[in-house]
Amino acid sequence: MRTSIATVCLSGTLTEKLTAAARAGFDGVEIFENDLLASPLAPEDIRARCADLGLSIDLYQPMRDVEAVPEADFARNLRRARHKFELMRRLGTDTVLVCSSVAPQAVDDDALAAAQLARLAALAEEFGIRVAYEALAWGRHVNTYDHAWRIVEQAGHPALGTCLDSFHILSRGSDPKGIEDIPGEKIFFLQLADAPLLGMDVLQWSRHHRCFPGQGGFDVAGLVRHVLRAGYRGPLSLEVFNDVFRQAEAGPTAVDGRRSLLFLKEQVGLAEPPAPVVPTKVAFAELLTPDAEPVAAVLTALGFARTARHRGKPVDHWAQGEARILVNTGSAARRESVRLTAVGLESPDPAAAARRAEALLAPVLPRRRAPEDAPLDAVAAPDGTELFFCGAPADWRGDFEDVPHTPAATAVTGVDHLALTQPWHHYDEAVLFHRAVLGLDARPGVDVADPYGLRRSRAVTNADGSVRIALTVGAAPGDDTVHARHIALATDDVVAAARAFRAAGGRLLPVPANYYDDLAARFDLPEGELETYRELGILYDRDEGGAFRHCYTRTVGHVFFELVQRDAGHEGYGAPNAPVRLAAQHGERGVTGG
């Protein structure tokens, strides 16, 4: 099934948008009227440009406030329509989107709406054009897809059909099953958008917060299944109004949109890319640093030991329990502070995981590799993080030569989760990437109060929680690097781990006394426990699944560590405590550089 994207989804000039859509692999585009009006190109030139790029023009949109109006108003609407139809013939497209009216002069009269739409369709037919009538979720009198279809059916004109839009249908909570009662040939067009589940005015929700399928909370795949059962065979087309997309670079946004449709096609049985290979463990996290000493000091205090050195690269292997940290001091690190730049994911079939990633448009990264090195495939996440698909440790640990070391302590048992701060324009893309490419499940998002704005966060995990990644973004576009990334280390006894870290010279993030006064009011903790937490800066949370105890190291460069004691049933990440942690880190920033 063909794929299309509305030019309103992308930033830039119309020419830039068309180029981005073509390079991402779309078959066609919807031309948004504002993009055409602002373009210096004549309609014939736009038509030729699309042809050169291999793009069809599948829809011209929108035509607004046409139907159910007084006759004098409708006569003016027909004059306006004739002009648009002439333009569309020059543009080379044969379908126009007509939105249900929001005009104050529109009346609640289905018979009048049907009669006027039939007259509009008759005029369109003279130009070889079809009219796709769509119910806006905020339409004055017509705001549901079934109501729009009843009017189309009543009009009974062959050049008049309906356009279905997943946002308008799902944002109102309409049951999409009724779509199957619409003849497939009368569904002239299908527009797709997802959205986070928000309690707000539907018009503002639509204009600012739509996203690509798989990035929000709507069951877009379920709706598409109903449309296919009805017999629709037109393109799957994205129509997304999003403030971030309007500012981000068009090329990556178009690729993200194309990935969303590839994933959607798989979900509804229209395509069979390589099956997802869900990672089973975090194999390693790699830190890039110009100076290993500050990182080594923190890792040593945490109980890690430097156990090996890469045979051909300046990379050290640090280990404790099942947690492995690689410290890279290569040439790429010379002008950077400490950063978490790569993650190894243990996979039951690394080669298949890499094939899946490439099929879902993840850029494969070239690697400088000696003949004897393990053939690790790597792809780039949207934020540039390198993701390596690894087999068991024996498959890649052989690249390292053991070095003399004292056996590591065992306070840390493994990696509880990774927290990856995302650039503001990659957050939604990152959620879809980890879902579609890695096969992880996305949990509901949360908003966290920061002293300088509101931060969005959403976790992606595998089924048993052995891989957990928290994706977070700040509210301000310029706030990409204020907050460090961190590695959360699992421990069976956070108090003992914190004491050992501090005794070894480590510095824990100080937590204000006010937090513990409030903690005493929120939870009835055993005698002495609150005092211990206060002494060590340990934070506490609890849900129906159990307790979550955690504390933080101070930041080194753009990385810090978290010690986590998680009860087996607890699924959170300490979000209620995040505002306190963020405030404390802001207070420390001048000292730590994080």
Side-chain angles (χ1 to χ4, degrees), residues 31-156:
I31 299 290
F32 192 64
E33 184 171 65
N34 287 0
D35 288 322
L36 181 138
L37 297 180
S39 175
L41 300 178
E44 293 83 1
D45 295 329
I46 295 171
R47 177 178 184 171
R49 176 64 176 161
C50 287
D52 289 344
L53 292 169
L55 294 171
S56 58
I57 302 177
D58 297 325
L59 187 74
Y60 184 72
Q61 63 120 332
M63 189 171 177
R64 303 183 186 276
D65 300 329
V66 172
E67 81 287 7
V69 293
E71 182 59 31
D73 291 331
F74 185 67
R76 287 191 291 272
N77 290 342
L78 284 181
R79 176 182 174 279
R80 174 163 56 100
R82 180 180 292 275
H83 176 79
K84 290 187 186 295
F85 296 158
E86 290 171 348
L87 182 150
M88 289 175 61
R89 186 156 58 183
R90 295 169 62 196
L91 198 59
T93 186
D94 65 358
T95 305
V96 63
L97 175 69
V98 172
C99 305
S100 62
S101 181
V102 299
Q105 66 267 31
V107 297
D108 189 8
D109 186 337
D110 284 6
L112 178 61
Q116 290 183 344
L117 286 172
R119 290 166 63 188
L120 179 71
L123 176 62
E125 192 173 38
E126 296 177 15
F127 291 84
I129 289 170
R130 306 184 308 165
V131 175
Y133 182 56
E134 170 189 71
L136 293 178
W138 54 91
R140 185 171 180 84
H141 302 296
V142 179
N143 49 40
T144 62
Y145 78 90
D146 51 337
H147 191 177
W149 163 240
R150 290 196 301 272
I151 291 173
V152 168
E153 191 174 31
Q154 185 175 350

Side-chain angles (χ1 to χ4, degrees), residues 221-525:
L223 180 142
V224 172
R225 291 188 190 100
H226 292 303
V227 177
L228 295 177
R229 291 186 193 118
Y232 175 74
R233 295 297 179 264
L236 301 177
S237 189
L238 299 170
E239 190 204 33
V240 172
F241 298 85
N242 185 291
D243 294 343
V244 173
F245 293 2
R246 289 186 180 103
Q247 299 175 69
E249 187 179 347
T253 302
V255 170
D256 189 34
R258 177 86 172 118
R259 180 182 296 121
S260 78
L261 290 185
L262 292 173
F263 186 41
L264 180 66
K265 281 185 171 186
E266 178 184 38
Q267 291 175 296
V268 302
L270 290 174
E272 294 185 5
V277 182
V278 182
T280 55
K281 188 183 296 184
V282 174
F284 61 81
E286 183 171 340
L287 306 180
L288 190 67
T289 177
D291 181 4
E293 183 54 35
V295 179
V298 175
L299 290 175
T300 300
L302 285 166
F304 281 79
R306 177 177 173 271
T307 62
R309 176 84 169 175
H310 196 281
R311 287 194 309 266
K313 301 174 185 177
V315 180
D316 291 328
H317 177 278
W318 292 74
Q320 182 180 184
E322 293 296 313
R324 300 176 183 87
I325 310 293
L326 304 185
V327 179
N328 185 339
T329 54
S331 58
R334 288 176 185 168
R335 294 187 225 172
E336 297 282 347
S337 60
V338 185
R339 294 178 184 272
L340 196 168
T341 59
V343 174
L345 296 171
E346 196 165 304
S347 171
D349 190 341
R355 288 194 295 272
R356 165 78 176 186
E358 191 169 8
L360 271 291
L361 309 181
V364 177
L365 297 174
R367 288 189 64 223
R368 181 175 62 84
R369 182 170 64 86
E372 65 273 15
D373 286 351
L376 296 182
D377 291 305
V379 298
D383 64 352
T385 300
E386 297 181 4
L387 299 179
F388 289 86
F389 299 113
C390 309
D395 294 342
W396 60 272
R397 180 62 173 74
D399 290 353
F400 292 79
E401 296 177 344
D402 290 342
V403 299
H405 64 276
T406 302
T410 57
V412 168
T413 58
V415 173
D416 182 87
H417 66 274
L418 300 173
L420 305 181
T421 303
Q422 300 294 302
W424 64 276
H425 53 297
H426 285 310
Y427 175 74
D428 289 324
E429 184 182 0
V431 172
L432 175 62
F433 178 93
H434 286 81
R435 287 190 64 197
V437 174
L438 303 182
L440 300 175
D441 296 324
R443 303 304 169 95
V446 297
D447 292 333
V448 175
D450 178 276
Y452 298 97
L454 198 64
R455 297 174 62 79
R456 300 166 64 199
S457 184
R458 195 171 184 186
V460 290
T461 75
N462 62 0
D464 65 3
S466 57
V467 174
R468 297 185 180 97
I469 301 174
L471 304 168
T472 305
V473 68
D479 194 30
D480 294 346
T481 59
V482 168
H483 296 277
R485 294 177 160 200
H486 76 267
I487 302 168
L489 302 169
T491 179
D492 295 330
D493 188 340
V494 72
V495 171
R499 288 195 191 282
F501 175 70
R502 198 170 64 174
R507 300 168 65 205
L508 291 166
L509 184 72
V511 176
N514 292 335
Y515 168 80
Y516 295 101
D517 293 340
D518 181 69
L519 195 62
R522 292 169 54 212
F523 298 107
D524 184 17
L525 297 172

